[in-house]
Amino acid sequence: MRVNSSFMLSLLVVVLVFMQCIFIVTPRERSMLSYLGDLKQDNGNVMVYSPGLYFKLPVIERVIKVDFRLQSFDVPSTRVLTADQKSVNVDYYVKWRVTDPAIFYKTTGASFSVANNMVKSKTIDALRAEFGVRELSEIISGDERLLMVENMQERASDSTKSLGIEVLDVRLKRVDYPQEVTLSVYERMRSSRDREAKKYRATGLAQSERIKSEADKDFVVIVADAKKQAAERIAKGNEAAAEIYVNAYSRAPGFYEFYIRMMGYLDSIGEEDVFVLDPDQTEFFKNMANID
């Protein structure tokens, strides 16, 4: 029983020692070995282990793992000045990855929180450099904005090479005025729109008055022309009627005189009028006495 216990204990020690002698590097990372506080080298170059199974000396060699995946972080709001001295808030994000694990370890201690802060500082410098040579209108425009983003990415990537880091992308999410400036900007925009609205209203009223004046003038001309034509036609009609009357009178004077009297009766007596007259004593009705 004691033999079995000793054997199991020895086997456990062997397994533990063996586990201390191996390390595994996954595809998402790269590893280095720290030998008594210094990075293990080969012919003057730091040894970087790619994915696989490796052996090391227990205790005196320590494994340092560095994540090789793409990293990213957002910067919610950074105030920068443009070339025309406009203060704006910029929201952006950065994507980066480790390219040299040895330099990355020496500059950041393989700490990604430290690396994020350092990349952020480098990116802000690049951002301010690009904004500082452009006016706000140029930054907002599409073509110039794309060029500016490319320059920012190149500047940031160049400045982070000394950290063993490559900046792969820098993107602007939003460019906006600070809160204290936004209200005044909106007020100026509102005043400008009010001025334009008043201008359009004044122009509309002037055009309305002009159209009304032209319409009134056309109305007077049309009515006067219509009255003139009506008067001419009435005069022609009266002339034609007088000629007809003359021809009728010359052909049948008695009938014409009778017709005239009949028309006088029609015009002088209404539907509700009542007359009590003596036909024999009234010249107006003398023809009535001869009617059988």
Side-chain angles (χ1 to χ4, degrees), residues 90-104:
V90 182
D91 297 353
Y92 65 97
Y93 70 86
V94 180
K95 292 185 179 297
W96 62 274
R97 66 182 179 88
V98 176
T99 55
D100 192 322
I103 298 177
F104 179 74

Side-chain angles (χ1 to χ4, degrees), residues 160-273:
T160 56
K161 285 182 179 178
S162 60
L163 305 176
I165 291 172
E166 178 186 11
V167 175
L168 299 176
D169 194 12
V170 178
R171 293 291 173 178
L172 300 180
K173 297 170 62 178
R174 188 180 68 168
V175 178
D176 197 4
Y177 287 107
Q179 183 65 31
E180 61 270 17
V181 180
T182 302
L183 294 177
S184 62
V185 172
Y186 287 160
E187 189 61 32
R188 287 198 300 270
M189 294 173 61
R190 183 177 181 180
S191 300
S192 175
R193 296 298 181 270
D194 288 341
R195 286 195 300 270
E196 291 183 5
K198 290 179 181 178
K199 177 182 176 181
Y200 289 138
R201 290 192 188 99
T203 303
L205 289 175
Q207 292 180 354
S208 174
E209 292 298 327
R210 180 177 58 80
I211 293 172
K212 289 180 181 178
S213 177
E214 292 178 356
D216 291 341
K217 181 184 70 175
D218 293 341
F219 172 76
V220 172
V221 172
I222 292 172
V223 171
D225 185 61
K227 288 183 178 180
K228 177 183 176 182
Q229 293 180 8
E232 290 176 352
R233 293 183 180 182
I234 290 174
K236 290 181 180 180
N238 290 335
E239 182 181 356
E243 185 178 354
I244 293 172
Y245 289 153
V246 170
N247 292 334
Y249 183 75
S250 62
R251 292 182 181 181
F255 176 77
Y256 182 72
E257 183 178 357
F258 175 76
Y259 176 75
I260 294 299
R261 289 181 181 275
M262 293 300 101
M263 294 302 295
Y265 296 157
L266 182 63
D267 294 336
S268 61
I269 302 175
E271 294 181 359
E272 298 181 358
D273 295 334

Side-chain angles (χ1 to χ4, degrees), residues 20-285:
Q20 291 293 320
C21 293
I22 64 170
F23 64 96
I24 298 173
V25 181
T26 63
R28 67 182 185 181
E29 62 191 10
R30 298 294 183 272
S31 295
M32 298 172 292
L33 290 178
S34 174
Y35 181 76
L36 299 177
D38 295 327
L39 294 178
K40 189 175 181 179
Q41 300 182 4
D42 182 21
N43 295 327
N45 297 321
V46 175
M47 298 177 62
V48 178
Y49 295 88
S50 57
L53 176 65
Y54 300 93
F55 293 92
K56 69 180 184 66
L57 298 177
V59 181
I60 61 175
E61 288 186 342
R62 181 173 61 90
V63 179
I64 300 173
K65 295 184 177 181
V66 177
D67 195 335
F68 248 49
R69 291 178 297 179
L70 186 66
Q71 309 293 322
S72 65
F73 62 87
D74 289 336
V75 180
S77 183
T78 300
R79 182 172 296 190
V80 295
L81 282 175
T82 61
D84 50 352
Q85 298 302 306
K86 298 290 182 62
S87 179
V88 293
N89 285 339
V90 182
D91 297 353
Y92 65 97
Y93 70 86
V94 180
K95 292 185 179 297
W96 62 274
R97 66 182 179 88
V98 176
T99 55
D100 192 322
I103 298 177
F104 179 74
Y105 173 73
K106 292 176 181 179
T107 55
T108 67
S111 171
F112 280 86
S113 60
V114 173
N116 277 335
N117 290 333
M118 297 179 74
V119 172
K120 178 180 177 182
S121 177
K122 301 289 187 181
T123 306
I124 289 176
D125 292 341
L127 182 74
R128 287 173 176 163
E130 291 297 323
F131 271 68
V133 296
R134 290 176 174 82
E135 296 185 355
L136 183 60
S137 59
E138 296 175 331
I139 295 171
I140 295 175
S141 66
D143 296 338
E144 189 67 22
R145 186 166 179 171
L146 290 176
L147 177 61
M148 180 183 64
V149 169
E150 291 178 0
N151 291 341
M152 286 169 50
Q153 187 268 328
E154 290 180 2
R155 284 176 179 266
S157 186
D158 290 340
S159 63
T160 56
K161 285 182 179 178
S162 60
L163 305 176
I165 291 172
E166 178 186 11
V167 175
L168 299 176
D169 194 12
V170 178
R171 293 291 173 178
L172 300 180
K173 297 170 62 178
R174 188 180 68 168
V175 178
D176 197 4
Y177 287 107
Q179 183 65 31
E180 61 270 17
V181 180
T182 302
L183 294 177
S184 62
V185 172
Y186 287 160
E187 189 61 32
R188 287 198 300 270
M189 294 173 61
R190 183 177 181 180
S191 300
S192 175
R193 296 298 181 270
D194 288 341
R195 286 195 300 270
E196 291 183 5
K198 290 179 181 178
K199 177 182 176 181
Y200 289 138
R201 290 192 188 99
T203 303
L205 289 175
Q207 292 180 354
S208 174
E209 292 298 327
R210 180 177 58 80
I211 293 172
K212 289 180 181 178
S213 177
E214 292 178 356
D216 291 341
K217 181 184 70 175
D218 293 341
F219 172 76
V220 172
V221 172
I222 292 172
V223 171
D225 185 61
K227 288 183 178 180
K228 177 183 176 182
Q229 293 180 8
E232 290 176 352
R233 293 183 180 182
I234 290 174
K236 290 181 180 180
N238 290 335
E239 182 181 356
E243 185 178 354
I244 293 172
Y245 289 153
V246 170
N247 292 334
Y249 183 75
S250 62
R251 292 182 181 181
F255 176 77
Y256 182 72
E257 183 178 357
F258 175 76
Y259 176 75
I260 294 299
R261 289 181 181 275
M262 293 300 101
M263 294 302 295
Y265 296 157
L266 182 63
D267 294 336
S268 61
I269 302 175
E271 294 181 359
E272 298 181 358
D273 295 334
V274 178
F275 290 90
V276 181
L277 300 173
D278 185 358
D280 295 333
Q281 302 297 325
T282 303
E283 183 67 22
F284 190 73
F285 291 103

